[in-house]
Amino acid sequence: MTVYNFSAGPGVLPAAVLDQIQTELKSFNSSQMSILEISHRSQQYIEMQQAAEDSLRDLMQIDDRYAVLFLHGGATLQFTSVPLNMTDHHHHVAYINSGHWAQKAMDAANKINGLAVDEVSKMTSQLPEIRPLNDMPLDYIHLTTNNTIEGTAYHQVPVNIGPLVADMSSNILAEPYDINQFDLVYAGAQKNIGPAGMAVVIVKRNRLTNHPKISDVMNYWLEDQKHSELNTPPVFSIYAAGLVFKWLKEFGGVPAIYQQNLAQANLLYDFIDNSTIFNNSVNVAERSLTNIVFSTGNDQLDHQFSSEANEQGLIGLAGHRLVGGMRASLYNAMPNAGVQALIKFMQQFELNHGGL
Ligand SMILES: *Cc1c(COP(=O)(O)O)cnc(C)c1O
């Protein structure tokens, strides 16, 4: 049975990348040592990390005005590191509360002493507009480009609205964004980049200053000076991410994968929109390409769907426990055949249960 992994995270990785990891796990680059045991101060390691960074810079067209950091702690640690590093001037920030993860990011900022945090409208059935609450100067406006749980996304980001900070954990490299629109972008690795536990932080160097009172490993300025090697970096995550970046470049980069993602998502949304039992209530223009939520409106039937799908090798389709229903995560490494298999299963399920 072919298995397709629709999990929201850790998510599917390219099969070719997993094969390469397996092939060279015991001897990285003919060294007779594993990447897991090579010193992070060795020339081989340093070159590998530099190549990973260069590939990401190529893929997202990131120039030297930006630092590219590979850090520990996933996206969640950045929820705290971002406001600690980026609020020197006004001690005032705004968060667009577009969903569960945006709320978490805002909660972390709210724990920081002396920082004024504005909440910009909560998500209802529509995504909130991206705008600051008032004319007070802000250190940044925080935006979650893709709401992993709600299945919504900002495909366009308005220009000249103020310094933007974006959590792109669930759609980085899945669709084109202009990095120059952001002062900082961060993403947990386990959705579209590689193994969990790492975050990628891309930040304008002119926003960074040394903060002697921030823990060194959370100090972006210092991590930039030390090339993300202030302590032992997440070496395996960086190595695997580098392979994923290389795979994506060979695929044709973000423009090419975006076309595939768009085609896959449209196929699934079209099926859902024409279905007699499945439904998605997100406004068409705001629908996520990476996390596609749907339900039958009947909890028991939803549950039955996810467990029968599981038995057929379609894994990880149960929606987040907070919202229920189903969610198909179509990250970059999802093959077209996976989406076709899912739709075929949904057609059969509809035939079996359409009369209910
Ligand atoms: C998954 C996710 C996170 C959390 O990532 P961790 O690496 O587990 O901390 C944060 N933000 C968004 C948008 C996510 O999808």
Side-chain angles (χ1 to χ4, degrees):
M1 181 172 66
T2 314
V3 166
Y4 293 107
N5 176 15
F6 294 94
S7 166
V12 56
L13 285 170
V17 166
L18 296 175
D19 285 344
Q20 188 174 348
I21 291 172
Q22 185 178 37
T23 305
E24 61 190 26
L25 189 63
K26 283 189 172 171
S27 176
F28 172 71
N29 209 1
S30 313
S31 65
Q32 307 292 319
M33 289 179 290
S34 172
I35 188 65
L36 297 170
E37 49 188 6
I38 291 179
S39 165
H40 63 291
R41 307 292 180 199
S42 68
Q43 196 55 33
Q44 275 195 318
Y45 176 84
I46 290 168
E47 279 170 17
M48 181 280 288
Q49 183 177 318
Q50 187 61 50
E53 178 183 329
D54 292 347
S55 295
L56 183 60
R57 284 185 182 275
D58 267 11
L59 286 167
M60 294 182 72
Q61 297 175 324
I62 305 165
D63 65 38
D64 282 341
R65 289 172 305 142
Y66 289 83
V68 172
L69 309 175
F70 297 113
L71 304 178
H72 296 273
T76 300
L77 188 62
Q78 312 319 312
F79 289 167
T80 299
S81 300
V82 164
L84 285 177
N85 282 277
M86 301 285 286
T87 54
D88 285 336
H89 297 297
H90 310 298
H91 311 288
H92 184 195
V93 295
Y95 278 70
I96 295 161
N97 192 353
S98 54
H100 171 84
W101 288 112
Q103 173 83 47
K104 291 256 191 199
M106 186 175 65
D107 289 348
N110 265 316
K111 289 184 183 176
I112 292 169
N113 269 338
L115 181 63
V117 180
D118 287 341
E119 176 179 12
V120 182
S121 55
K122 272 191 202 302
M123 195 183 103
T124 51
S125 62
Q126 295 183 24
L127 277 181
E129 210 186 313
I130 304 171
R131 57 170 177 80
L133 265 188
N134 50 40
D135 293 334
M136 297 264 291
L138 295 164
D139 288 307
Y140 64 78
I141 303 163
H142 183 280
L143 171 72
T144 307
T145 50
N146 185 78
N147 298 286
T148 322
I149 293 175
E150 293 79 4
T152 59
Y154 293 100
H155 300 295
Q156 245 99 49
V157 176
V159 276
N160 295 333
I161 158 150
L164 282 172
V165 163
D167 176 358
M168 274 194 199
S169 293
S170 50
N171 73 343
I172 190 167
L173 299 172
E175 57 184 286
Y177 287 101
D178 178 1
I179 193 73
N180 300 303
Q181 282 190 266
F182 302 92
D183 276 17
L184 186 148
V185 165
Y186 66 100
Q190 70 278 19
K191 281 148 194 164
N192 237 348
I193 293 178
M198 179 173 83
V200 170
V201 175
I202 304 157
V203 55
K204 257 192 188 151
R205 288 193 158 117
N206 70 9
R207 289 293 308 259
L208 298 182
T209 46
N210 195 6
H211 289 88
K213 294 205 168 159
I214 302 178
S215 160
D216 286 353
V217 291
M218 297 172 79
N219 183 332
Y220 291 154
W221 180 87
L222 196 57
E223 285 283 15
D224 184 27
Q225 297 296 308
K226 301 281 184 186
H227 210 210
S228 307
E229 290 175 0
L230 180 111
N231 66 334
T232 316
V235 294
F236 185 75
S237 294
I238 294 170
Y239 156 74
L243 296 183
V244 172
F245 298 152
K246 197 164 137 263
W247 169 85
L248 184 53
K249 280 177 69 174
E250 281 161 12
F251 191 91
V254 177
I257 203 78
Y258 172 57
Q259 290 308 319
Q260 174 169 295
N261 291 339
L262 210 54
Q264 289 184 357
N266 283 340
L267 205 63
L268 186 51
Y269 281 125
D270 276 352
F271 176 78
I272 293 167
D273 288 342
N274 290 305
S275 159
T276 54
I277 60 167
F278 299 109
N279 176 53
N280 167 296
S281 53
V282 177
N283 289 338
V284 171
E286 297 167 352
R287 286 172 163 179
S288 169
L289 300 183
T290 42
N291 306 101
I292 292 166
V293 295
F294 55 99
S295 84
T296 65
N298 174 331
D299 287 348
Q300 218 182 332
L301 203 55
D302 285 352
H303 184 77
Q304 191 182 341
F305 177 91
S306 305
S307 60
E308 282 181 16
N310 233 46
E311 286 162 21
Q312 301 295 314
L314 306 170
I315 311 294
L317 285 163
H320 192 277
R321 60 191 189 286
L322 291 175
V323 294
M326 280 78 79
R327 169 174 55 178
S329 294
L330 308 182
Y331 296 127
N332 286 352
M334 175 58 65
N336 291 330
V339 182
Q340 285 152 8
L342 172 60
I343 290 174
K344 204 168 150 219
F345 176 78
M346 290 169 79
Q347 274 164 340
Q348 190 57 48
F349 194 86
E350 179 168 319
L351 277 180
N352 297 345
H353 300 280
L356 283 185

